């Protein structure tokens, strides 16, 4: 078998998996298993969680989606693991989520006034491209100056006011003009549709408030929108909400939508590292084991995986599940949750 062969043709783990054994001069000499690329949790809050625990559980890289921009820039500059990309502050409407939440880190929220001073939508959209969008552009510039790779907006109509469409359009336009994608927390009736209509690049939680209709899901997938899963928090908190989110992911994935693994680490009690509840829920949503691996290894928000590469590889010990067990949620979850990070040179193809 050559270095570039997948684990086994037709095995079902996809092109990112390699059969390997550990070298004879390290721990567990000769142990056989599967090598995967560095794995990414695409939704974390490092100011609210312990990154070391995630790394110990097989996560090599994280995307922080809401923090004090200066604090997260300092954390991200730290040597070693995890590698970090980040959004900086939450951008929200005046009084909007999460400005009044006790958990929000100091300095992590920017409340932006409406760009629409009673103008028509068309006039407001025109204004959004010009000087009156000042506070929006300043907020986006601030995150970029702190090194943000993505702009995070909160659209939570359950917990406060929400950007009107012209202001959301202004945020999207300002981010695009600076080469940054926009990621939205969409919660409350119609909020996922608002984000999809406005061309938001990523939903930071798979939609969980309501069942989206097929046409809207097809539109999101066709537009290239990505959804970060965060299903384990719902499995933990509310079975009915979890079913709604899983059903939306099932149809989004079937429509060709890009699913990114993410847990919202820092949101209450969650198993750090590769989370078995998150993996099991993704399998229940119809993702094959190879799709789950792709969702974990996706380099978003960068186009290239270079930022995740710290000379490490992911090692999942033992034989992978048999091909006919790769659609069983608990089997795939137990296998992937055993993932650990090892120096890449300690693994040899076999
Ligand atoms: Zn979050």
């Amino acid at each position: 078998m050559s270095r570039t062969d997948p684990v086994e043709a037709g095995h079902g783990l996809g092109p990112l998996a390699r059969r390997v054994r550990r070298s004879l001069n390290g721990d567990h000499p000769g142990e056989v298993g599967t090598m995967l690329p560095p794995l990414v949790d695409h939704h974390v809050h490092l100011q609210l969680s312990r990154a070391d625990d995630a790394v110990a559980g097989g996560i090599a890289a994280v995307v922080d989606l809401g923090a004090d921009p200066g604090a997260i820039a300092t954390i991200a500059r730290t040597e070693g693991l995890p590698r970090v990309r980040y959004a900086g502050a939450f951008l929200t409407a005046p009084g909007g989520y999460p400005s009044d939440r006790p958990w929000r880190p100091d300095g992590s929220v920017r409340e932006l006034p409406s760009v629409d001073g009673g103008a028509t939508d068309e006039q407001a959209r025109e204004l959004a491209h010009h000087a009156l969008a000042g506070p929006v552009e300043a907020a986006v510039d601030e995150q970029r100056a702190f090194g943000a790779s993505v702009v995070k907006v909160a659209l939570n109509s359950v917990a406060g006011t929400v950007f009107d469409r012209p202001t959301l359009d202004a945020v999207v336009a300002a981010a695009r003009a600076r080469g940054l994608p926009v990621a939205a927390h969409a919660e409350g009736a119609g909020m996922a549709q608002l984000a999809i209509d406005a061309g938001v690049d990523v939903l930071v939680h798979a939609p969980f408030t309501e069942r989206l209709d097929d046409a809207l899901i097809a539109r999101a997938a066709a537009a290239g929108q990505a959804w970060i899963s965060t299903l384990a928090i719902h499995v933990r908190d509310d079975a009915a909400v979890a079913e709604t989110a899983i059903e939306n992911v099932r149809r989004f994935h079937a429509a060709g939508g890009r699913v990114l693994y993410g847990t919202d680490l820092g949101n209450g009690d969650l198993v750090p590292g590769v989370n078995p509840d998150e993996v099991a829920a993704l399998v229940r949503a119809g993702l094959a084991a190879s799709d789950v691996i792709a969702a974990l290894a996706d380099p978003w928000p960068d186009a290239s995986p270079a930022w995740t590469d710290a000379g490490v590889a992911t090692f999942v010990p033992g034989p992978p599940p048999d091909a006919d067990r790769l659609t069983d949620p608990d089997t795939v979850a137990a296998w992937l949750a055993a993932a650990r990070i090892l120096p890449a040179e300690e693994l040899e193809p076999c």
Side-chain angles (χ1 to χ4, degrees):
M1 195 170 207
S2 82
R3 183 173 279 276
T4 55
D5 283 338
V7 166
E8 213 173 88
H11 191 288
L13 296 179
L16 300 173
R18 302 280 182 278
R19 185 205 303 270
V20 291
R21 80 161 51 94
R22 296 176 72 169
S23 66
L24 294 176
N25 43 22
D27 294 337
H28 304 276
E31 185 181 21
V32 170
T34 303
M35 182 173 78
L36 302 174
L39 303 182
V40 185
D41 188 334
H42 297 88
H43 186 158
V44 306
H45 298 277
L46 289 178
Q47 288 187 288
L48 305 175
S49 58
R50 287 172 41 86
D52 290 353
D53 294 339
V55 172
I59 295 293
V62 297
V63 185
D64 189 287
L65 291 177
D68 171 77
I72 192 62
T74 299
I75 291 169
R77 274 196 300 270
T78 308
E79 289 288 315
L81 298 176
R83 305 302 305 273
V84 181
R85 289 290 183 268
Y86 53 96
F90 298 89
L91 310 190
T92 194
Y97 176 89
S99 61
D100 63 350
R101 295 290 137 152
W103 51 259
R104 83 203 182 291
D106 287 343
S108 67
V109 180
R110 300 290 178 274
E111 299 173 54
L112 306 177
S114 174
V115 301
D116 180 5
T120 65
D121 274 8
E122 194 175 335
Q123 287 167 332
R125 268 172 224 171
E126 188 61 24
L127 290 174
H129 295 287
H130 295 94
L132 288 183
V136 166
E137 303 219 329
V140 172
D141 277 336
E142 183 203 12
Q143 309 323 309
R144 186 162 169 269
F146 276 108
S149 297
V150 50
V151 170
K152 168 81 176 277
V153 300
L155 304 172
N156 184 345
S157 64
V158 176
T161 52
V162 171
F163 287 138
D164 54 32
R165 178 66 191 273
T167 307
L168 178 58
D169 287 346
V171 173
V172 172
R176 290 261 153 78
R178 290 155 182 78
L180 298 177
V182 175
H185 173 122
E187 179 171 2
M191 291 298 105
Q193 174 157 8
L194 173 63
I196 293 165
D197 288 347
V200 161
D201 300 279
V202 169
L203 300 185
V204 305
H205 303 283
F208 59 92
T209 301
E210 58 200 342
R211 185 185 192 278
L212 304 192
D213 69 44
D214 290 347
L216 184 60
I217 285 179
R219 199 146 56 78
Q225 188 176 70
W227 290 1
I228 301 171
S229 52
T230 75
L231 298 169
I233 53 172
H234 307 308
V235 170
R236 178 193 70 194
D237 293 342
D238 189 321
V241 172
E243 287 312 308
T244 299
I246 289 170
E247 171 59 16
N248 284 329
V249 171
R250 189 183 66 72
R251 288 175 297 124
F252 181 67
H253 172 67
R258 178 183 181 188
V259 176
L260 305 173
Y261 171 95
T263 63
D264 202 10
L265 187 67
N267 173 347
D269 276 341
L270 283 169
V271 175
V274 177
N275 182 301
D277 297 326
E278 195 68 43
V279 172
L282 285 166
V283 175
R284 287 173 55 206
L287 276 76
S290 58
D291 300 321
V292 177
I293 291 168
L296 274 157
D298 194 303
W300 183 86
D302 284 9
S304 148
W307 74 274
T308 67
D309 184 359
V312 300
T314 309
F315 179 72
V316 188
D322 292 338
D324 64 355
R325 301 280 289 161
L326 288 175
T327 54
D328 178 66
D330 294 337
T331 300
V332 177
W335 176 65
L336 271 176
R340 295 296 176 264
I341 295 169
L342 293 179
E345 66 268 17
E346 197 180 305
L347 300 175
E348 300 166 349
C350 68

